[in-house]
Amino acid sequence: MAEVINLAEGFKKFCENSGYEHNWEEFKKLYLDPNKKNLEPLLKLNFLWKAGIKSLFKKTSLSPYKAIFKRLDDWEYPERVLETVRKSEAAVGRKIPARINLFFTLGGVVDGVTVYHDGIPHIYIGLDYPEDRQEYFDLVAAHEIGHA
């Protein structure tokens, strides 16, 4: 089964520890550095954050994320994406060798993208784009899994 990596937890920890205030050093310590391996294929593309992730981070309002975290809990993420993986694998009749990263795009710049790195599909699903429709995330997950 595809591996699901919930990068959202590290971001949530950062937001709660910082009081939803911008603190680049804490962001790096609690989110970027621990998730470097998982974010590396995406960050290498540099098309999502053309201005640079630090610049985008400073421009992103963190206060809406409190409601987004609650909504994702209500929608049963990341468990919900595991169900999409199970259905997708059943439909194609095989295991899907992918790493699915649930993350926040800092401003909703992308809903989903698949990046091949070292022959492995790394799927990124932006949980803050759009932030209010759970069915949309199901469709994005299924679409990106289709690339794998």
Side-chain angles (χ1 to χ4, degrees), residues 34-83:
N35 296 306
K36 185 177 183 178
K37 177 183 166 194
N38 294 315
L39 290 170
E40 181 181 30
L42 184 66
L43 292 172
K44 280 184 175 181
L45 291 179
N46 204 29
F47 79 92
L48 292 179
W49 300 299
K50 288 180 181 160
I53 193 165
K54 185 175 184 178
S55 175
L56 183 61
F57 169 74
K58 289 181 177 181
K59 294 176 186 175
T60 301
S61 174
L62 299 176
S63 57
Y65 284 93
K66 188 179 272 189
I68 294 171
F69 297 143
K70 168 89 171 79
R71 199 171 295 123
L72 291 172
D73 286 343
D74 291 346
W75 293 346
E76 298 179 349
Y77 271 86
E79 296 81 10
R80 190 175 178 96
V81 80
L82 289 169
E83 183 59 26

Side-chain angles (χ1 to χ4, degrees), residues 6 9 14 27 44 52-53 75 77 88 95 99 106 127 132 134 139:
N6 189 9
E9 283 303 312
F14 156 72
F27 179 70
K44 280 184 175 181
I53 193 165
W75 293 346
Y77 271 86
S88 299
K95 300 289 182 199
R99 295 175 57 91
L106 301 176
L127 298 176
D132 61 347
Q134 65 184 342
L139 291 171

Side-chain angles (χ1 to χ4, degrees), residues 108-123:
V109 294
V110 67
D111 53 2
V113 65
T114 299
V115 180
Y116 278 80
H117 180 72
D118 293 333
I120 299 169
H122 293 256
I123 296 170

